[in-house]
């Protein structure tokens, strides 16, 4: 083997390809992403595989004078056709035909990893094994016979420690050498036993004339095995009904000897072989030490302490997220509200742009960009903590602890965290559903997230409770949060029985060992998750903000808000709200703008109910003063964040402060609302469709508007019904 | 007897998976194949799911899923 590598590793050999594609495949948590990052570094780009929201990470870079494309495949336990990840991985391997596969194997968990390796070998693509986590294996006292393993698999085996970059150089050199020698460097054909091999030969004999096989598009052995397994996707996809019939003959023979389930038979045989390979190559120490992970779990998953520990962890994460992000959000808000539009106005005046352009830029575009920016700190903070939970191994434990509760409403244990995050801000919560693998669980969780009352709704509650319920403000506030939770349980139950009926949820999950995540890993993953939002959602949000600006400012030269398109729309839809107790155009217009962000409801109410009170002229400040102020307040944001982290109390809320501007509003509200209609209004604000940033996030996470559409419809209906019941019910009992 | 009947700390050997289709394949892909030893390590604080040790790693699954896995008890410790 090493002779072969030596003979092909020479540079400048004629006939070698100038662009190589290398697939990185392996079990979840084996270290594929860490390895890919170690090799490709910042050149990695992250997106989604077409049609599904499974992450696609790839990087193209120069290595030894030629181009290499590295593709980090989703982690799977098998290449069966049952999960999105598996389908993505195998379709890529079968159809895109990488020049070589780097199979990342967790050396501490050899048998299960080798089961996957065996399936990769069936593809007949040159394979190089990265025997990763070699440090952990060594620490456990495992001794692995690498040469023997390489010989048995007909592949190269390179020990690596992805986190430290150990073995990476050799791995890449070997992979490239294997790609160059791909005609001869095929992996071993591992025999699955006489009976199966006979059937494979018989089916392969029939398949070898299939066009895709002839043209070299499909690996023959793999194809034959899939036919025998009765792999529905393969049979359908390759349209081999005729062949399927022939397969049936071979399969029939196998069935009579080995029982009905051939898929299970093959899984069984592969595991048998994996066990054999493990026995041949791995020496474990006689006595297994009680590992750190088990000792931590004895506490963390303890019958009595498990749940309290979980809640403390959640509370900490929640608090830290908003404590740290809050000051930076305020800082960004300050820039977007003050200096930025000022500078833009000055610039535009310098080129003598018409007034409406100035207004469009400052109130439409900059405000739109601003609404994207202010979400950045909480999104990045939250993604950081989620990454931390995920990478450390605690996320799986959290799911384990909460699953019982969540399964009652048809959810997965992992759904709890996105739902909880929803109380801070629904947008990062939607992105947090990425930790759920199953599309069904993901969709159901995302649909319930908007019922969690986010920070942006609080300003609305604050104004109304202050105006109507100052004596029992806290109770009223809590009742609203509780209303959201209770409805989430009911709606979840309803969806489970309707939209998601028949899709059996499963909870079969590995509990990976605890690991201390590396700083580099944390940063990369946090950035990848946040970048998505910045790039994709940003453009949508900008477009919609501009749209709303036009709504408020058309027809041209409109003065009174009532006469703008938005105001007119408000007048038209106002009767819809009459049975709910707030059928005025002012309330209707405010609710309409609330689609941009729910706290805007208060701002709009300020404008439509109490015009004139707005916009005190600010004293002009020079550019350099602005810059100094921004810099100083940025420093201040750090200090505030640090203070927040260390202060134990003070409920973390975003933009919850009540300022003088709303004082005038309160007295106006007291005249147009009754306590009952005020409560109905608050419930409506809690429940009606979420801000469009959430909708954009949903479209982004699910690749279509479908679930965003469902959310719009069900929440609007729900909000109306609940507000109706509150208002009319309250009147019935004489409130 | 099924895996769901084993108590914390008890071990068993897997005899058969009495369900078919995706769930069976998923279980087998995770190493739940006949002849393999399992040991129930923990029960979640609310009684479900359970954590088992199989092929030297920790797997968690719901009792509903564990009921499809037939085992014979070996010994308890
Ligand atoms: N000790 C040690 N830890 C490692 C090594 N390689 C990766 N890790 C850690 O293992 C964990 C999982 O690594 P990832 O790179 O995210 O694994 P993955 O294969 O991409 O996982 P999925 O994307 O879920 O399939 C991380 O916490 C890494 O820091 C290694 O060689 N040694
Ligand atoms: Mg990964």
């Amino acid at each position: 083997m090493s002779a072969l590598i030596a003979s092909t590793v020479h540079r400048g050999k004629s006939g070698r390809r100038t662009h190589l594609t290398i697939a990185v495949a392996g079990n979840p948590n084996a270290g594929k992403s860490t390895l890919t990052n170690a090799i490709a570094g910042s050149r990695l780009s992250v997106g989604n595989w077409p049609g599904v929201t499974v992450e696609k990470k790839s990087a193209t870079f120069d290595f030894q004078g030629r181009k290499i494309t590295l593709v980090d495949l989703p982690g799977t336990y098998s290449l069966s056709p049952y999960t999105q990840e598996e389908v993505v991985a195998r379709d890529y391997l079968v159809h895109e035909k990488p020049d070589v596969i780097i199979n990342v194997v967790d050396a501490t968990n050899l048998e299960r990893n080798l089961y996957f390796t065996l399936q990769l070998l069936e593809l007949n693509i040159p394979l190089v094994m990265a025997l990763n986590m070699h440090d952990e294996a060594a620490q456990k006292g495992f001794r692995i016979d690498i040469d023997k393993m390489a010989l048995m698999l007909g592949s190269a085996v390179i020990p690596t420690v992805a986190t430290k970059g150990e073995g990476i150089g050799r791995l890449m050199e070997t992979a490239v050498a294997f790609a160059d020698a791909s005609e001869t460097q095929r992996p071993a054909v591992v025999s699955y036993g006489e009976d199966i091999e006979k059937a494979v030969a018989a089916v392969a004999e029939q398949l070898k004339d299939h066009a895709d096989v002839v043209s070299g598009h499909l690996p023959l052995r793999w194809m034959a095995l899939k036919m025998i397994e009765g792999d529905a996707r393969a049979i359908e996809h390759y349209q081999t009904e005729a062949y399927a019939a022939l397969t049936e003959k071979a399969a029939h023979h196998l069935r009579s000897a080995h029982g009905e389930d051939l898929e299970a038979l093959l899984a069984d045989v592969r595991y048998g072989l994996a066990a054999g390979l493990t026995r041949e190559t791995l020496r474990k120490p006689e006595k297994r030490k009680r590992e750190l992970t088990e000792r931590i779990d004895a506490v963390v998953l303890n019958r009595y302490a498990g749940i309290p520990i979980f809640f403390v962890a959640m509370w900490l994460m929640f608090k830290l997220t908003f404590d740290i992000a809050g000051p930076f959000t305020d800082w960004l808000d300050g820039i977007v509200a003050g200096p930025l539009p000022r500078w833009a106005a000055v610039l535009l005046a310098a080129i003598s742009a018409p007034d409406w352009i100035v207004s469009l830029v400052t109130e439409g575009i900059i405000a739109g960009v601003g609404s994207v920016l202010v979400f950045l700190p909480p999104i990045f903070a939250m993604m950081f903590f989620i990454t931390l939970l995920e990478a450390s191994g605690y996320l799986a434990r959290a799911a384990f602890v909460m699953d019982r509760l969540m399964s009652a409403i048809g959810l997965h244990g992992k759904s709890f965290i996105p739902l909880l995050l929803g109380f801070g801000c629904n947008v990062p919560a939607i992105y947090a559903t990425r930790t759920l693998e199953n599309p069904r669980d993901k969709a159901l969780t995302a649909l319930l997230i908007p019922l969690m009352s986010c920070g942006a709704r609080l300003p609305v509650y604050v104004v109304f409770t202050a105006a109507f319920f100052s004596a029992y403000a806290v109770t009223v506030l809590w009742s609203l949060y509780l209303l959201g939770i209770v409805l989430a349980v009911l709606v979840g139950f309803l969806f489970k029985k309707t939209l998601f009926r028949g899709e059996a949820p499963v909870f079969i999950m590995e509990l990976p060992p605890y690991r201390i995540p590396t700083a580099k890993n944390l940063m990369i993953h946090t950035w990848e998750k946040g970048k998505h939002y910045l790039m994709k959602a940003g453009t949508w949000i900008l477009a919609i903000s501009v749209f709303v600006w036009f709504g408020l400012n058309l027809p041209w030269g409109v003065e009174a808000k009532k006469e703008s398109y938005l105001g007119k729309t408000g007048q038209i839809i106002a009767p819809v709200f009459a049975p709910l107790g707030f059928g005025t155009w002012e309330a209707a217009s405010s609710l309409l703008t609330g689609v941009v962000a729910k706290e805007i409801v208060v701002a709009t109410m300020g404008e439509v109910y109490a015009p004139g009170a707005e916009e005190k002229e600010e004293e002009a400040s020079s550019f350099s003063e602005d810059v100094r102020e921004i810099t100083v307040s940025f420093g201040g944001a750090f200090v505030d964040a640090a203070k927040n982290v260390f202060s134990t109390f003070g409920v973390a809320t975003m933009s919850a402060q009540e300022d003088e501007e709303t004082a005038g509003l309160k007295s106006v509200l007291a005249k147009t609302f009754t306590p009952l209609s005020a409560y109905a209004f608050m419930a409506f604000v809690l429940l009606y469709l979420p801000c469009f940033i959430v909708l954009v996030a949903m479209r982004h996470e699910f690749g279509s508007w479908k679930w965003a559409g469902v959310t719009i419809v069900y929440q609007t209906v729900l909000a109306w019904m609940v507000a109706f019941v509150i208002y009319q019910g309250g009147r019935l009992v004489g409130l | 007897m099924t895996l769901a009947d084993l108590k914390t700390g008890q071990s068993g050997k897997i005899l058969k998976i009495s369900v078919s289709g995706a769930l069976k394949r998923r279980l087998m892909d995770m190493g739940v194949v006949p002849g393999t030893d399992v040991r129930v390590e923990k029960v979640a604080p609310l009684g479900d799911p359970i954590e088992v040790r199989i092929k030297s790693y920790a797997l968690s699954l719901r009792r509903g899923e564990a009921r499809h896995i037939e085992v014979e008890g070996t010994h308890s410790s």
Side-chain angles (χ1 to χ4, degrees):
Chain A
M1 177 119 344
S2 53
L4 190 136
I5 295 165
S7 69
T8 50
V9 93
H10 294 305
R11 292 159 132 265
K13 210 174 151 188
S14 60
R16 51 173 223 182
R17 272 156 300 169
T18 51
H19 190 166
L20 296 176
T21 312
I22 302 179
V24 180
N27 275 186
N29 259 307
K32 296 175 298 302
S33 300
T34 312
L35 191 84
T36 313
N37 280 317
I39 297 170
S42 54
R43 291 159 294 200
L44 210 63
S45 77
V46 185
N48 280 336
W49 290 90
V52 286
T53 50
V54 176
E55 258 173 34
K56 175 177 188 168
K57 297 185 203 159
S58 60
T60 300
F61 54 92
D62 288 327
F63 180 79
Q64 296 181 343
R66 52 176 153 176
K67 257 205 178 71
I68 308 266
T69 298
L70 212 57
V71 181
D72 180 9
L73 293 176
T76 58
Y77 296 102
S78 141
L79 291 179
S80 64
Y82 293 116
T83 69
Q84 277 187 345
E85 282 81 2
E86 287 165 349
V87 170
V88 164
R90 72 181 221 166
D91 279 0
Y92 179 81
L93 291 169
V94 171
H95 297 302
E96 308 291 319
K97 294 207 161 315
D99 295 301
V100 62
I101 298 174
I102 291 182
N103 174 209
V104 183
V105 160
D106 176 353
T108 65
N109 199 344
L110 215 44
E111 190 176 337
R112 207 197 58 213
N113 277 258
L114 284 172
Y115 171 77
F116 184 70
T117 305
L118 285 168
Q119 296 182 58
L120 291 176
L121 294 179
E122 292 166 9
L123 295 165
N124 197 30
I125 297 171
L127 181 140
V128 176
M129 180 187 291
L131 194 60
N132 198 35
M133 310 262 179
H134 210 254
D135 52 339
E136 284 190 11
Q139 202 203 345
K140 283 175 189 248
F142 286 14
R143 303 233 325 260
I144 301 169
D145 188 338
I146 287 164
D147 292 334
K148 197 171 193 179
M149 177 104 80
L151 203 65
M152 293 173 91
L153 300 177
S155 312
V157 177
I158 317 283
T160 58
V161 181
T163 37
K164 300 200 189 93
E166 278 171 32
I168 303 287
R170 243 187 92 208
L171 181 69
M172 280 304 288
E173 276 166 23
T174 313
V176 168
F178 267 50
D180 280 339
S182 62
E183 292 314 313
T184 49
Q185 194 46 265
R186 296 291 168 172
V189 175
V190 180
S191 170
Y192 286 179
E194 203 181 324
D195 284 358
I196 294 176
E197 291 302 330
K198 244 193 222 151
V200 169
V203 177
E205 179 61 27
Q206 302 298 335
L207 275 174
K208 74 179 196 305
D209 299 327
H210 188 281
D212 281 340
V213 173
V214 173
S215 62
H217 278 312
L218 284 178
L220 185 56
R221 180 178 172 81
W222 182 80
M223 188 71 175
L225 281 165
K226 291 296 131 184
M227 293 294 136
I228 293 170
E229 276 181 330
D231 183 303
R233 195 180 156 85
I235 292 172
E236 178 195 358
H237 194 99
Y238 309 120
Q239 310 227 309
T240 54
E241 269 170 52
Y243 297 106
L246 290 160
T247 312
E248 217 23 63
K249 234 162 71 188
H252 181 75
H253 191 73
L254 271 181
R255 282 206 185 93
S256 56
H258 296 277
E260 280 306 303
D261 195 342
L262 293 185
E263 199 180 14
L265 171 69
L266 277 161
D268 209 24
V269 166
R270 289 189 190 106
Y271 254 114
L273 285 164
L277 276 167
T278 311
R279 225 177 300 118
E280 291 285 323
T281 53
L282 173 68
R283 288 283 158 271
K284 283 189 186 180
E286 285 295 310
K287 280 188 75 174
R288 206 172 74 87
K289 280 181 287 189
R290 191 166 137 89
E291 282 160 22
L292 183 64
T293 293
E294 291 165 74
R295 280 190 301 233
I296 298 176
D297 273 345
V299 179
V300 165
L301 300 182
N302 180 280
R303 274 185 78 172
Y304 306 103
I307 289 180
I309 288 175
F310 169 75
F311 278 107
V312 168
M314 289 301 105
W315 181 79
L316 264 179
M317 169 169 99
F318 195 76
K319 181 176 154 49
L320 287 175
T321 296
F322 290 100
D323 280 1
I324 292 173
F328 292 98
T329 298
D330 291 344
W331 174 72
L332 282 169
D333 211 19
I335 297 177
V336 176
L340 217 51
R342 224 166 26 237
W343 299 342
V346 169
L347 271 179
L348 289 169
I351 58 165
S352 50
D355 278 354
W356 72 269
I357 296 255
V358 177
S359 166
L360 173 63
V361 170
T362 55
E363 287 161 35
I365 296 176
I366 293 184
V369 173
S371 63
V372 177
L373 284 181
V374 295
F375 280 106
L376 278 184
I379 287 191
F380 274 97
M382 203 167 267
M383 291 311 150
F384 174 82
F385 288 113
I386 298 245
T387 308
L388 186 69
L389 287 184
E390 210 175 5
S392 66
Y394 186 71
L395 190 68
R397 270 78 185 178
F400 182 71
V401 169
M402 291 313 289
D403 185 63
R404 181 70 205 273
L405 223 63
M406 291 289 106
S407 67
I409 47 173
L411 291 176
H412 188 278
K414 279 190 189 169
S415 305
F416 188 84
I417 290 176
L419 287 174
L420 181 83
L421 293 177
F423 285 111
C425 175
N426 288 182
V427 179
I430 297 284
Y431 286 107
T433 59
R434 197 160 266 237
T435 53
L436 290 151
E437 286 102 35
N438 186 337
R440 171 203 180 275
D441 296 330
K442 227 177 112 140
L444 186 51
T445 310
L447 285 178
L448 298 182
I449 284 174
L451 296 178
M452 305 297 119
S453 187
C454 69
R457 287 167 234 194
L458 199 55
V460 182
Y461 306 156
V462 167
V463 168
F464 276 85
T465 42
F468 296 98
F469 308 102
S470 50
Y472 16 79
V474 175
T475 318
V476 168
L477 271 180
W478 269 114
S479 74
L480 287 162
Y481 280 88
L482 202 65
L483 179 66
I485 296 170
V486 170
L487 286 170
V489 172
L490 293 177
V491 171
F493 197 74
L494 196 76
F495 278 159
K496 175 180 148 184
K497 296 277 179 214
T498 54
L499 275 180
F500 297 94
R501 195 182 42 203
E503 293 177 64
V506 287
F507 184 88
I508 301 174
M509 186 183 68
E510 182 179 357
L511 294 174
Y514 288 105
R515 293 200 171 94
I516 297 172
T518 63
K520 188 179 158 197
N521 237 344
L522 280 179
M523 267 155 57
I524 290 173
H525 284 274
T526 306
W527 169 241
E528 278 169 5
K529 287 176 182 139
K531 193 172 76 174
H532 267 304
Y533 166 76
L534 195 59
M535 308 278 198
K536 298 263 176 55
T539 46
W540 275 106
I541 290 162
L542 189 59
I544 296 177
S545 302
V546 170
F547 183 76
V548 169
W549 180 86
F550 278 110
L552 267 168
N553 289 279
L554 290 181
W556 286 120
V558 63
E559 281 297 325
K561 293 280 185 243
K562 190 176 180 181
E563 297 308 320
S564 71
Y565 283 155
L566 188 81
K568 283 189 183 146
T569 315
Q571 292 178 48
I572 294 170
I573 61 169
V576 175
F577 300 117
L580 316 182
F582 44 88
T584 63
W585 76 268
E586 290 97 333
S589 310
S590 305
L591 288 172
L592 279 177
T593 56
V595 174
V596 176
K598 288 198 173 176
E599 73 258 35
I600 290 185
V601 170
V602 174
T604 313
M605 290 190 134
E607 280 186 39
V608 295
Y609 279 114
E614 44 175 308
E615 289 181 39
K616 306 159 276 235
E617 256 330 298
E618 286 185 51
E619 68 279 22
S621 51
S622 74
F623 182 75
S624 59
E625 278 169 0
D626 278 347
V627 171
R628 194 171 334 117
E629 166 64 21
I630 290 171
T631 321
V632 169
S633 58
F634 185 61
F638 269 103
V639 176
D640 285 347
K643 267 194 218 152
N644 283 344
V645 171
F646 289 108
S647 74
T648 343
F649 272 103
V651 181
T653 53
M654 294 168 62
S655 51
Q657 322 92 313
E658 192 195 341
D659 38 64
E660 316 88 55
E661 280 172 45
T662 55
L665 177 58
K666 268 188 280 181
S667 57
V668 185
L669 288 179
K671 291 186 199 115
T672 46
F673 282 86
T674 64
L676 183 62
S677 68
Y679 194 83
F681 186 80
M682 285 193 287
F684 193 87
V685 168
L686 161 69
L687 300 172
Y688 86 125
L689 61 132
C691 69
F692 73 85
I693 306 177
V694 171
L695 298 173
V696 169
M698 281 186 180
R699 126 95 232 196
H700 183 198
E701 269 307 288
F702 294 100
S704 83
W705 288 105
K706 180 181 168 195
W707 295 118
V710 171
T711 304
I712 293 175
V713 174
Y714 104 78
Q715 289 210 270
T716 310
V717 171
L718 183 71
W720 196 91
M721 291 193 326
V722 171
F724 182 86
V725 168
I726 291 174
Y727 185 67
Q728 299 299 343
R731 294 223 309 189
L732 272 182
V733 299
L735 283 174
Chain B
M1 186 163 62
T2 72
L3 183 57
D5 301 320
L6 291 184
K7 301 216 165 45
T8 310
Q10 286 184 330
S11 305
K13 195 188 266 305
I14 295 167
L15 295 176
K16 136 173 210 259
I17 302 174
S18 54
V19 66
S20 59
L23 180 57
K24 177 171 188 178
R25 179 66 193 258
R26 172 94 181 155
L27 286 167
M28 294 193 82
D29 285 342
M30 302 285 288
V32 183
V33 286
T36 310
D37 294 319
V38 280
R39 186 185 133 96
V40 177
E41 292 285 333
K42 270 189 193 65
V43 174
L46 298 173
D48 197 23
I50 59 173
E51 176 194 337
V52 301
R53 193 154 190 94
I54 186 165
K55 298 210 186 281
S56 66
Y57 82 99
L59 176 72
S60 68
L61 71 173
R62 289 183 181 153
R63 282 182 188 281
E65 288 145 1
R67 263 192 281 280
H68 297 301
I69 302 167
E70 287 176 26
V71 296
E72 66 180 356
T74 42
H75 66 281
S76 49
S77 57

